[in-house]
Amino acid sequence: MIFSEHRLLKLVKIGLYSAPVTIFVFYQSVFFPLVILKFVAFSIVAEIVAFFWLWLILFHPQYRLKKNVIVIAFFALVFVLTVVSLFAISPHRSFWSVTDRFTGLISMWHFFLYFLMLYSVRRAINWRAYFTFLFLISITVSLLAFVQKTVPGFLGGEHERPGSLLGNPAYLAGYLLFTIFIGAYLARGSTGRLRLLYGIVILVEVIAIVLGNTRGAIIGLGLGAVVFQIVSAHARGWNSKNPYAAALVVLTLFVGIFLFTRQAALWQR
């Protein structure tokens, strides 16, 4: 064969590392520059990687997909999305969405393909290194939101509610909701100054979400933090010296106060 197992696996891993970097693709002169080029770049990377991945699973059965509840659930989801798109009132929009969104079925197929490739080679990936890579990318995205907030017209986005490289505050919040908890996971396995550094970056990303003023994301962040603290506290054992248990109490009180006072002028602003 032209490509050995080692070389094919290396090419697939390089592609899987390259896909998240497409968030930096941006060219102001293009129509909807913060959306279209990213979709095109991510799709091209996913399809190129898929070529080597299919070659890998064809000749090396150990990388083929196994029955798994999560994989089956995603297959079912994509199947349903495909069927309803075929019989939609506007199949064109169902498949392609609109130019300022690109969240149609074609996008879902590419994201699903990306998931399948990650799952297929999961035992060959250093997940801590991969998550660290994703978290480092998110730091830049968060900092650009602060620049956009203070420099009107930067990245061509909205000044009052920055969307950074995603061009939309709701998109930015959805993206950071994942990376914040990836950072929290990394912090759990770290000590000393490194854990403090993770904490500072997480705080920056939380502030970036708040700047976007997407209330649904803020509520999701609060509830997600409570769940994360419950899992962490349980893993450490429930006792008075458990920092996660203490943080859980504070978070629960804050989320409770927020839910009961969500109509207050403070939150409405």
Side-chain angles (χ1 to χ4, degrees):
M1 290 187 296
I2 299 177
F3 293 106
S4 64
E5 175 188 350
H6 175 73
R7 183 169 296 179
L8 284 170
L9 185 60
K10 185 176 181 179
L11 288 170
V12 171
K13 290 167 70 174
I14 289 173
L16 293 175
Y17 269 88
S18 301
V21 181
T22 57
I23 196 170
F24 293 112
V25 176
F26 167 75
Y27 184 58
Q28 186 64 53
S29 299
V30 177
F31 192 55
F32 289 113
L34 291 166
V35 178
I36 294 178
L37 289 181
K38 285 181 179 58
F39 167 75
V40 173
F42 177 82
S43 300
I44 290 173
V45 171
E47 290 168 10
I48 292 174
V49 181
F51 171 78
F52 296 108
W53 174 65
L54 290 172
W55 198 338
L56 179 69
I57 64 176
L58 179 64
F59 292 101
H60 304 283
Q62 66 268 32
Y63 297 105
R64 293 174 187 172
L65 298 171
K66 305 294 192 297
K67 286 184 179 180
N68 178 279
V69 174
I70 297 176
V71 174
I72 293 172
F74 272 107
F75 262 114
L77 173 63
V78 174
F79 175 77
V80 171
L81 288 175
T82 303
V83 172
V84 297
S85 296
L86 289 171
F87 295 96
I89 295 174
S90 176
H92 181 271
R93 284 200 170 192
S94 295
F95 273 83
W96 292 102
S97 185
V98 291
T99 50
D100 60 335
R101 292 290 186 270
F102 268 112
T103 52
L105 184 63
I106 301 298
S107 298
M108 298 302 108
W109 281 344
H110 283 87
F111 293 140
F112 183 50
L113 178 62
Y114 177 60
F115 160 73
L116 291 179
M117 292 187 291
L118 276 172
Y119 178 79
S120 174
V121 299
R122 65 193 183 281
R123 292 189 176 89
I125 290 180
N126 181 334
W127 283 102
R128 188 165 186 85
Y130 192 72
F131 284 150
T132 302
F133 179 70
L134 296 179
F135 193 59
L136 289 174
I137 292 174
S138 72
I139 295 171
T140 305
V141 176
S142 301
L143 293 176
L144 287 176
F146 285 89
V147 177
Q148 193 175 25
K149 180 71 175 178
T150 56
V151 182
F154 181 70
L155 294 176
E158 187 179 342
H159 171 57
E160 292 300 322
R161 298 179 63 206
S164 187
L165 287 169
L166 292 156
N168 185 305
Y171 291 175
L172 175 64
Y175 169 74
L176 293 179
L177 280 177
F178 282 93
T179 60
I180 283 171
F181 289 104
I182 287 174
Y185 164 77
L186 293 171
R188 277 185 58 187
S190 305
T191 57
R193 294 180 179 178
L194 185 57
R195 176 177 289 187
L196 177 61
L197 181 60
Y198 278 125
I200 293 172
V201 175
I202 290 170
L203 179 60
V204 170
E205 297 196 355
V206 169
I207 295 173
I209 289 181
V210 174
L211 288 178
N213 197 23
T214 304
R215 281 180 291 176
I218 295 172
I219 294 173
L221 176 63
L223 296 176
V226 170
V227 173
F228 181 83
Q229 294 298 333
I230 291 174
V231 174
S232 300
H234 181 73
R236 289 282 294 269
W238 297 93
N239 57 69
S240 58
K241 296 182 179 180
N242 188 335
Y244 294 106
L248 175 62
V249 174
V250 174
L251 274 172
T252 304
L253 288 173
F254 175 79
V255 172
I257 292 171
F258 173 79
L259 291 176
F260 281 106
T261 63
R262 61 184 181 276
Q263 299 302 327
L266 172 65
W267 307 123
Q268 293 301 315
R269 287 196 295 270

